[in-house]
């Protein structure tokens, strides 16, 4: 009798232990799935930009006009790229983090996983496609020549009207290479930023610089001594040199999702965002 009772007690205890283990396993499994879902939809979306290429991106002191705080920095980043990055991050369900760095460091930072994407007014050229991937374009523009008002080049119609002129553009951009298409041009050393080129232009060190149309509008708005030439016979260039896309690592799993997000932003909305960026950029830019 005692032995039978002992067997019954053992059976009951075993059932309790097994039930407890089953419940624990179920809870652990549920917790793991929730964590996976959170990881998939949350986390950070770290984007790199130089924050010095208005109206696409610039640096400012506060969060006015939807600017985003720069990581490990007291300053904020604003501009067209920032607004597009906010839309992409929201669509991905991630927190936007902006990392400010020099232009030349953007691709290496992407390849070494220090950032998740480049949203910095970067054109998807064939040369860059050898090392990184790009999304569909999120902006398309054309090349203009920024000059001083009243100069002999103000009524130029063709790029060849700048023969003999001292012309430059930004360092390590396709804008700089197209200068070679001007016969007899005095091609100057490429400069680090547009603010530097504006200073050189006002000082008479250069006669003009090649830029995309938004920079031409911005320069003329910031300094009433400047204007820009939109050519009737312009530079021979392909679409990749005047378009802007998001730079991603090769075979990035988010590429198609980001393309879907970009497709949801109409051309009218893109132009409206650009016009706002041009009007909001700091005058010093």
């Amino acid at each position: 009798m005692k032995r039978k009772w002992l067997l019954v007690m053992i059976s009951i205890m075993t059932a309790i232990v097994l039930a407890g283990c089953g419940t624990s396993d179920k809870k652990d499994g549920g917790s793991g799935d929730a964590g996976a879902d959170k990881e998939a939809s949350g986390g950070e979306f770290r984007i790199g930009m130089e924050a010095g290429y208005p109206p696409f991106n610039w640096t400012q002191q506060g969060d006015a006009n939807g600017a985003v705080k720069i990581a490990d920095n007291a300053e904020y980043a604003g501009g067209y790229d920032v607004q597009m990055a906010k839309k992409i991050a929201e669509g991905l369900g991630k927190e936007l983090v902006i990392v400010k760095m020099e232009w030349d460091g953007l691709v290496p930072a992407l390849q070494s996983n220090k950032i998740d994407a480049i949203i910095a007014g970067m054109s998807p050229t064939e040369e860059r496609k050898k090392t990184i991937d790009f999304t569909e374009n999120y902006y398309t523009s054309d090349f203009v020549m920024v000059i001083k008002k009243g100069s002999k080049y103000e009524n130029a119609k063709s790029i060849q009207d700048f023969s003999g002129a001292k012309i430059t553009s930004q360092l390590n951009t396709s804008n700089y290479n197209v200068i070679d298409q001007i016969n007899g041009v005095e091609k100057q050393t490429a400069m680090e930023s547009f603010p530097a080129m504006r200073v050189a232009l006002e000082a008479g060190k250069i006669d003009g610089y090649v830029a995309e149309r938004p920079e031409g509008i911005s320069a003329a708005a910031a300094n009433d001594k400047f204007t820009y030439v939109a050519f009737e016979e312009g530079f021979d260039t392909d679409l990749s040199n005047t378009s802007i896309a998001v730079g991603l690592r090769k075979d990035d799993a988010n590429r198609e999702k980001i393309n879907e997000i970009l497709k949801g932003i109409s051309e009218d909305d893109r132009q409206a965002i650009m016009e706002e960026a041009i009007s909001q950029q700091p005058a010093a830019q």
Side-chain angles (χ1 to χ4, degrees), residues 13 39-40 63 84 96 107 120 131-132 135 168 184 186 225 264 282:
M13 292 300 295
E39 179 69 21
D63 62 357
M84 297 300 285
L96 176 62
V107 171
T131 55
I132 63 175
T135 63
T168 189
E186 292 188 29
K225 296 179 181 178

Side-chain angles (χ1 to χ4, degrees), residues 17 47 79 103 117 178 214-215 245 252 261 266 275:
V17 171
I47 66 134
W103 177 265
V178 298
E215 162 58 17
D252 191 302
I261 296 168
S266 70
E275 289 172 9

Side-chain angles (χ1 to χ4, degrees), residues 59-258:
T59 300
Q60 62 185 58
Q61 298 305 311
D63 62 357
N65 302 316
V68 175
K69 193 173 186 302
I70 299 171
D72 303 319
N73 197 308
E75 297 175 315
Y76 291 73
Y80 182 82
D81 288 331
V82 174
Q83 299 309 314
M84 297 300 285
K86 288 167 70 173
K87 291 180 178 295
I88 294 172
E90 181 180 1
L92 293 174
K94 295 181 180 295
E95 177 190 357
L96 176 62
V97 176
I98 293 181
V99 182
K100 181 179 179 179
M101 60 182 63
E102 295 297 325
W103 177 265
D104 289 347
L106 289 171
V107 171
L110 179 64
Q111 293 174 317
S112 61
N113 297 322
K114 293 180 180 178
I115 57 176
D116 300 309
I118 298 171
I119 305 183
M122 181 173 281
S123 298
T125 63
E126 292 304 315
E127 186 65 25
R128 291 184 182 128
K129 286 180 180 179
K130 294 177 182 178
T131 55
I132 63 175
D133 279 345
F134 286 93
T135 63
E136 299 296 325
N137 300 330
Y138 66 88
Y139 190 78
T140 301
S141 184
D142 57 345
F143 287 151
V144 300
M145 187 76 76
V146 182
I147 61 172
K148 289 180 74 172
K149 285 183 179 178
S151 75
K152 65 179 182 179
Y153 302 104
E154 191 168 5
N155 296 318
K157 304 296 182 184
S158 165
I159 62 172
Q160 302 309 333
D161 291 333
F162 284 86
S163 178
K166 294 179 289 186
I167 304 298
T168 189
S169 190
Q170 190 176 27
L171 183 68
N172 293 328
T173 66
S174 57
N175 304 1
Y176 188 62
N177 296 331
V178 298
I179 295 174
D180 296 329
Q181 296 178 26
I182 304 173
N183 297 326
V185 69
E186 292 188 29
K187 188 176 184 180
Q188 305 296 296
T189 302
M191 296 188 180
E192 192 67 36
S193 66
F194 285 126
M197 284 183 273
R198 293 184 190 181
V199 170
L201 179 60
E202 187 163 19
K205 294 181 179 179
I206 57 174
D207 296 309
Y209 62 88
V210 179
E212 292 180 25
R213 186 182 293 266
E215 162 58 17
I217 298 172
S218 300
N223 190 327
D224 60 8
K225 296 179 181 178
F226 294 165
T227 187
Y228 67 93
V229 176
F231 298 107
E232 294 178 4
E233 297 178 24
F235 295 101
D236 182 15
T237 182
D238 59 47
L239 187 62
S240 67
N241 288 328
T242 54
S243 298
I244 304 300
V246 179
L248 299 170
R249 282 184 291 276
K250 288 289 185 179
D251 302 316
D252 191 302
N254 283 322
R255 184 171 181 270
E256 291 307 315
K257 177 62 176 176
I258 293 175

